[in-house]
Amino acid sequence: MSSVSTLAGAPAPGSDTYKGWLFKWTNYLKGYQRRWFVLSNGLLSYYRTQAEMAHTCRGTINLATAHIDTEDACNIVLSSGGRTYHLKASTEVERQRWVTALELAKAKAIRMMNDQSGDEEPTTQSDRSEGIQGTLKTLISKLDDLSTCNDLIAKHGAALQRSLSELEALRVPVEGGEKIKGVNERATLFRITSNAMINACRDFLDLAETHSRRWQRALQYEREQRIHLEETIEQLAKQHNSLERAWREAPTLSANTPRGSERPQKGEASDEDEDTEYFDAMEDSPAFITVTATENTQHRSVSLTLWPVSPSCKDSGKELQPLRRRRSHIPDKPNYSLNLWSIMKNCIGKELSKIPMPVNFNEPLSMLQRLTEDLEYHELLDKAARCESSLEQLCLVAAFSVSSYSTTVHRTAKPFNPLLGETYELDRLDDLGYRSLCEQVSHHPPAAAHHVISQRGWTLWQQITISSKFRGKYLSIMPLGAIHLQFHSSENHYVWRKVISTVHNIIVGKLWIDQSGDIEIVNHRTKETCQLKFSPYSYFSRDVPRKVTGVVSDSGGQAHYILSGTWDDKIESSKIVQSSKGGSGSEGKQKTVYQTLSPKLLWKKYPLPDNAENMYFFSSLALTLNEPEDGVGLTDSRLRPDQRLMEAGRWDEANSEKQRLEEKQRAVRRRREAEATDALDNGKTSRKWAGPESPEAWSKALKLSDACVSSPGREYEGFQPQWFHKRKNAITGETTFVYKGGYWEAKDSQDWSTCSEIF
C-alpha cells in the first residue's frame, strides 16, 4: 500500500474514543480501501472521509458481541452476527494499538451491557405499569418468604429458649449456668432482630406501593406532555413551511433588498469524487465566504399584508404605488391519455424541433421562459457581487450555474418552441432588482438570445442553441453556446457552458431526467477556474444520484475550494488548507487528498409549492412567468394563444391554435425564401454573381440561416432580430447575438410600431 494509515490525534488506547485510518477490504476488484474508523462507546464505525462523520456512517459493528482475531502482523478480523470486517494497519505497532483499544472497548461494552440488562425501562405506558406491578409482586413474594423464615426462627427460638430454661433448672456449676443464661439472652435478641427485619421489609413494600402510584402519575403526565409537544412541533413545522412560502412570494420592503441568501439545512452530502478524497474537517472554523457589512439588508418581509413602495416613486415624487402581488397557482393539469409511440415511431433520428408535437407533451411555458427560469436563484449573484475575494465569488457563480438545473428534476414535459421573433421579458426591477429580456433570433437551428442586467452589480447574457436528438429510448438535449457573467465593480468576467440533459424512458416506463458532463467556469480577468463534474446516473454506482463535484483553482492551478452536492438539492464548499498525493484510483490515476475546513452551504433548493405535482411541478418563480401583464411587447410569450389555452386546460383548442401558428410561420418563411430567390435572380441578370460559389450554395445557406442576403443587382435583407444584433466576442472569438438596446425605452413609451404581428 502506497498510502500510510495514520492516527489523527487519536487518544491512547483505553480512552473513550479512538480514531484513525485503516484499510478495509471491499471486494476483489478494488481490494483494500482507506477508511476513517472511530471507536466510541463500544461501537466501531467507519466513514470514507472525516467530513462524513457529520452526516453519513458507512457501517457499524457492536464490539460487545464481536469476535476479534489477528491473522498476521498487520491484519485484524472482526466478526459479529454474520458481519465480518477485514482490516489492515500499515504497521504491526499500529495494529497492536488498535487490537488493545478494541479489546478494552469490548470488555467495557460487556460490563455495561450486563449492568444495564436489568435496568431497561419499558417503552410504553402499559409496559411501564406492568413492569412496576411485576416488581411489586416479586417484592411481596420475597416478603412472604421472609415471613415464613421469621415464623421458623420464632418457633426454633422458642424451642431453644425452653431447652435453655430446662438446662438452667438442672444442677450445673455456677459458671455453666451463667453461660446458658447468656445464650438464652442472645437467642431472644436474635428473635427480636428478625421481627424488626420483617417489619422493615413490610414498611419498604408499603412505601414502594405508594411511590409506584406516584411514579405512574408522573409518567402519565410526562407522556401527555410529550404528545402535546409533538403536536405543537408539528403545527410549528406547518406554520414554518407556510411562512417560508410566503417569504418567497411576498414583496420586499425596498428595491435594494436581496431576495434572500442561503438557508443552511442539514442533509446528506455526496461521497468523494473518484479521484478526490476529503478528510480532516476542522470543527468550529470561521466561515470562508466574506461579504461586506451590507449583508444585514438581506432579510425579506414574511408578512403578506405589507405593501412595499418602489424607491423610484419616492425619488420622483410620484404617487406611491404598492408592488405587484404575484400568483401562486395555475389551473390543474388535465388528465389526458395519448399514445406516444404512434407519434414517435416515425421520428427516430430527426431533430426534435422538426417533429410536430401536440400540446399533450408540453408544459405551458415557452423555451424563452424556461431560459429566464435560470434566474430562480439570482440572489447568489447578488451575494457574489459583494464578495471581496474573486475565489469566493467564483464559488457562488459555480453554485448559480448548478442551481439552474434544480427545476428540471421533475419537469419531463417539453416547453413550447418559440416562434421566430418571439420575445419574453421579466421586469423585476422594483422587487428583485433585475430586468431580463429573451428573443428567438433563429428558427433552424432554434436559437435564443438572453440579456439580464441587475441594479445589484452584475450583467448576464447568453445565446443558447438547442440541439436535440430522439434516439428511441431516450432524448438527448445539447445546449450550445456560452454564458457570460460580468460584475460591475470588479469587472470579473465569467464564461461557462451548459451540460447535456437526457430524458430517459421515452417509450416505456416513467420519464426521468439526468444531467451529465463537465462545466468549466473561467474568470477571464484573473484566469481563475472552476471545474464541475455532473456524474451520470448508474445503477451500479455507489455514489448518490445527481452528484456534482468541483474544484476551484487559482491562475496557477492550485486548488483552494472543494465543491460537492447534487444538482437537485444543494451545493456546499470546503476551503482547502492542505493537499497531498494519495494512493492510485481505480483507473490508475493518483488521487489528490485534500484537507479541508468544515463545509459551508452555498445553495439550497427551495421547496416546491403546494399541489406542485398537479401544476407541472412548477417552482414559485415558474408559476409567475406566464402571468398576464400589461404593457409587454406585442411578441411576448404571454400573448401566445396556444400556450395560454393550454394553461387554462383547453388542450383541444390549444392544439388547433398551435397548428395555425406553425402554418403561419411556415408561410412567412416561404415568402422570405421567395423574396431571397427573387433578389438573387435579379442580381444574376444584371451582373456577375458575387455571393457564394454557386446559386445552389446560396440557396442552401439561405435555408440553414436567416442571415442577411445581398447581391450586386438587388439587396434583400432576411430576418433580423428586433432587439439583438450580431457581434464578435473579444474573449471567446465567437459571433453571437447581443442586446443592442431600445426595448425598455419602447416599453416606457409603449411604442411597439417596429414589432411584427407573429401571433
Side-chain angles (χ1 to χ4, degrees):
M1 291 292 175
S2 58
S3 297
V4 178
S5 176
T6 59
L7 295 175
S15 61
D16 292 337
T17 303
Y18 196 61
K19 303 177 183 179
W21 292 100
L22 288 173
F23 293 96
K24 179 182 178 295
W25 176 263
T26 55
N27 52 53
Y28 285 99
L29 293 177
K30 294 192 175 181
Y32 283 94
Q33 296 293 318
R34 192 166 181 254
R35 296 292 182 260
W36 179 255
F37 281 83
V38 177
L39 175 59
S40 179
N41 296 326
L43 299 176
L44 181 66
S45 307
Y46 76 93
Y47 311 83
R48 286 194 181 178
T49 65
Q50 284 180 289
E52 280 192 347
M53 290 177 61
H55 48 77
T56 306
C57 177
R58 298 291 169 178
T60 300
I61 193 168
N62 189 348
L63 294 178
T65 58
H67 177 69
I68 305 173
D69 191 16
T70 54
E71 291 183 345
D72 55 29
C74 296
N75 283 38
I76 306 172
V77 180
L78 296 176
S79 56
S80 175
R83 180 184 302 176
T84 303
Y85 288 173
H86 293 269
L87 310 177
K88 179 181 288 188
S90 60
T91 64
E92 185 176 357
V93 173
E94 184 180 323
R95 193 281 307 267
Q96 190 57 44
R97 289 176 181 169
W98 273 103
V99 170
T100 303
L102 292 170
E103 292 288 359
L104 292 174
K106 178 180 178 180
K108 184 176 180 181
I110 293 174
R111 287 197 304 271
M112 292 176 61
M113 185 173 63
N114 293 335
D115 292 342
Q116 296 175 0
S117 60
D119 298 334
E120 296 180 356
E121 295 184 1
T123 57
T124 64
Q125 181 68 19
S126 60
D127 291 341
R128 292 192 189 100
S129 300
E130 292 175 0
I132 293 173
Q133 294 299 329
T135 303
L136 292 175
K137 288 180 180 179
T138 303
L139 290 174
I140 292 172
S141 175
K142 296 299 181 182
L143 185 60
D144 291 339
D145 294 341
L146 288 173
S147 297
T148 302
C149 293
N150 180 67
D151 294 340
L152 292 173
I153 291 172
K155 179 180 178 181
H156 293 301
L160 178 61
Q161 283 183 335
R162 284 195 302 270
S163 299
L164 292 174
S165 298
E166 292 173 356
L167 287 175
E168 286 180 0
L170 296 176
R171 291 184 178 181
V172 295
V174 178
E175 184 179 354
E178 293 294 332
K179 290 184 178 179
I180 292 173
K181 187 177 180 180
V183 172
N184 193 11
E185 291 176 354
R186 289 190 181 91
T188 303
L189 183 61
F190 176 73
R191 186 181 62 181
I192 294 172
T193 305
S194 299
N195 289 333
M197 181 185 68
I198 296 298
N199 292 332
C201 290
R202 185 175 286 108
D203 292 341
F204 171 77
L205 180 60
D206 293 339
L207 187 62
E209 289 178 345
T210 303
H211 279 285
S212 70
R213 290 190 291 270
R214 186 179 304 169
W215 293 338
Q216 287 178 357
R217 290 195 298 269
L219 288 173
Q220 180 64 24
Y221 174 77
E222 292 296 334
R223 181 172 178 270
E224 293 174 355
Q225 289 294 105
R226 186 189 66 186
I227 294 174
H228 176 70
L229 286 174
E230 289 175 351
E231 293 174 351
T232 304
I233 290 172
E234 183 179 358
Q235 292 296 326
L236 287 174
K238 292 179 180 179
Q239 293 176 13
H240 174 77
N241 290 335
S242 300
L243 288 173
E244 190 176 53
R245 287 193 298 270
W247 179 38
R248 291 187 290 105
E249 295 166 3
T252 55
L253 288 174
S254 73
N256 293 327
T257 306
R259 186 175 148 188
S261 58
E262 60 202 33
R263 299 183 224 171
Q265 295 181 11
K266 291 205 75 149
E268 286 231 336
S270 60
D271 295 340
E272 71 270 16
D273 185 71
E274 183 64 26
D275 296 323
T276 309
E277 189 169 329
Y278 320 135
F279 68 100
D280 283 351
M282 298 180 179
E283 298 297 334
D284 302 325
S285 300
F288 69 91
I289 297 295
T290 59
V291 295
T292 58
T294 60
E295 180 143 341
N296 58 0
T297 64
Q298 294 189 14
H299 302 290
R300 295 194 301 163
S301 169
V302 297
S303 173
L304 290 175
T305 60
L306 294 179
W307 290 92
V309 177
S310 169
S312 60
C313 296
K314 296 179 182 179
D315 296 339
S316 59
K318 298 178 182 178
E319 182 182 356
L320 301 181
Q321 296 291 335
L323 293 179
R324 177 178 179 177
R325 183 183 300 229
R326 306 284 171 172
R327 69 180 183 181
S328 58
H329 67 276
I330 59 174
D332 286 358
K333 177 183 178 181
N335 187 18
Y336 288 145
S337 60
L338 193 66
N339 187 353
L340 178 62
W341 179 244
S342 63
I343 297 174
M344 305 297 286
K345 63 183 179 180
N346 297 321
C347 302
I348 297 177
K350 294 183 180 179
E351 281 280 350
L352 183 65
S353 59
K354 297 181 180 180
I355 299 177
M357 286 282 198
V359 299
N360 303 57
F361 300 115
N362 287 62
E363 61 180 16
L365 290 178
S366 74
M367 191 62 202
L368 301 181
Q369 290 165 315
R370 284 292 294 269
L371 199 60
T372 306
E373 208 173 337
D374 288 354
L375 301 173
E376 175 92 26
Y377 299 94
H378 69 93
E379 65 270 10
L380 291 172
L381 301 184
D382 296 343
K383 187 175 182 180
R386 301 191 302 272
C387 274
E388 298 173 350
S389 167
S390 58
L391 288 170
E392 296 165 4
Q393 187 180 76
L394 182 52
C395 290
L396 289 168
V397 173
F400 173 79
S401 69
V402 175
S403 70
S404 63
Y405 297 98
S406 64
T407 61
T408 66
V409 62
H410 301 296
R411 304 273 289 279
T412 55
K414 172 182 175 291
F416 279 79
N417 286 331
L419 303 177
L420 188 62
E422 184 176 334
T423 61
Y424 179 74
E425 67 154 79
L426 185 62
D427 189 354
R428 303 297 294 269
L429 198 63
D430 289 340
D431 54 349
L432 303 181
Y434 68 80
R435 276 177 163 176
S436 168
L437 177 65
C438 295
E439 183 176 5
Q440 188 76 0
V441 296
S442 173
H443 193 63
H444 289 298
H450 185 203
H451 183 269
V452 190
I453 186 167
S454 172
Q455 287 183 335
R456 297 171 188 169
W458 53 270
T459 300
L460 182 145
W461 67 97
Q462 59 181 320
Q463 178 185 323
I464 298 297
T465 301
I466 301 296
S467 177
S468 54
K469 290 290 184 180
F470 175 58
R471 303 296 186 183
K473 292 184 179 181
Y474 63 91
L475 177 71
S476 295
I477 302 172
M478 295 153 284
L480 308 176
I483 303 172
H484 295 258
L485 172 66
Q486 188 168 24
F487 292 98
H488 303 163
S489 59
S490 63
E491 296 186 353
N492 288 332
H493 189 149
Y494 298 91
V495 179
W496 70 92
R497 300 174 188 272
K498 290 181 175 287
V499 296
I500 297 175
S501 301
T502 305
V503 184
H504 295 270
N505 295 341
I506 292 291
I507 303 301
V508 179
K510 184 179 180 181
L511 293 175
W512 61 279
I513 291 181
D514 194 22
Q515 315 288 348
S516 59
D518 298 329
I519 292 180
E520 182 184 39
I521 306 175
V522 181
N523 183 344
H524 285 274
R525 189 183 72 84
T526 64
K527 306 305 178 184
E528 296 161 347
T529 61
C530 175
Q531 302 288 340
L532 290 174
K533 179 181 180 181
F534 288 66
S535 300
Y537 174 78
S538 173
Y539 179 80
F540 302 100
S541 175
R542 297 177 300 173
D543 292 334
V544 294
R546 310 180 187 99
K547 174 184 174 183
V548 178
T549 54
V551 179
V552 175
S553 307
D554 59 21
S555 58
Q558 181 179 355
H560 288 265
Y561 292 96
I562 294 296
L563 305 181
S564 62
T566 57
W567 53 263
D568 68 324
D569 184 26
K570 65 177 181 180
I571 291 294
E572 295 178 329
S573 66
S574 302
K575 185 176 178 61
I576 298 172
V577 295
Q578 186 177 352
S579 62
S580 60
K581 296 299 181 181
S584 298
S586 58
E587 299 179 357
K589 299 179 180 178
Q590 191 175 27
K591 288 187 176 182
T592 301
V593 181
Y594 293 114
Q595 182 179 356
T596 66
L597 300 178
S598 300
K600 303 297 179 182
L601 186 68
L602 293 178
W603 160 75
K604 176 73 176 177
K605 181 185 176 182
Y606 297 144
L608 290 175
D610 290 338
N611 197 38
E613 64 277 6
N614 295 321
M615 298 187 296
Y616 309 90
F617 287 98
F618 281 178
S619 64
S620 296
L621 176 63
L623 289 173
T624 68
L625 293 180
N626 204 43
E627 186 175 7
E629 189 165 322
D630 296 332
V632 299
L634 302 179
T635 55
D636 196 272
S637 297
R638 297 178 181 87
L639 305 178
R640 183 166 173 163
D642 54 348
Q643 188 173 300
R644 181 64 59 191
L645 288 168
M646 183 194 176
E647 182 184 275
R650 299 156 62 183
W651 284 17
D652 292 337
E653 298 175 61
N655 277 320
S656 301
E657 194 64 27
K658 184 172 183 286
Q659 293 177 7
R660 181 189 69 81
L661 290 175
E662 290 174 349
E663 184 54 41
K664 180 179 180 180
Q665 184 172 237
R666 294 189 194 101
V668 172
R669 183 169 182 82
R670 286 193 294 268
R671 187 180 72 247
R672 287 200 188 101
E673 290 176 354
E675 292 175 354
T677 304
D678 229 9
L680 176 62
D681 291 341
N682 291 338
K684 287 169 58 180
T685 56
S686 62
R687 295 183 187 177
K688 183 179 178 182
W689 170 251
E693 295 179 358
S694 66
E696 290 79 15
W698 174 263
S699 178
K700 183 177 180 181
L702 175 65
K703 291 180 181 179
L704 292 176
S705 68
D706 294 300
C708 291
V709 179
S710 63
S711 67
R714 175 185 170 189
E715 290 190 357
Y716 170 74
E717 187 175 54
F719 172 78
Q720 293 295 310
Q722 184 68 32
W723 312 109
F724 291 81
H725 57 182
K726 280 189 174 181
R727 290 292 182 270
K728 185 175 182 179
N729 188 273
I731 293 177
T732 63
E734 298 175 340
T735 300
T736 58
F737 284 94
V738 296
Y739 180 57
K740 65 180 180 181
Y743 179 87
W744 304 109
E745 292 77 8
K747 181 182 180 181
D748 291 339
S749 62
Q750 284 298 295
D751 180 11
W752 305 114
S753 57
T754 58
C755 294
S756 303
E757 181 59 49
I758 62 173
F759 299 137

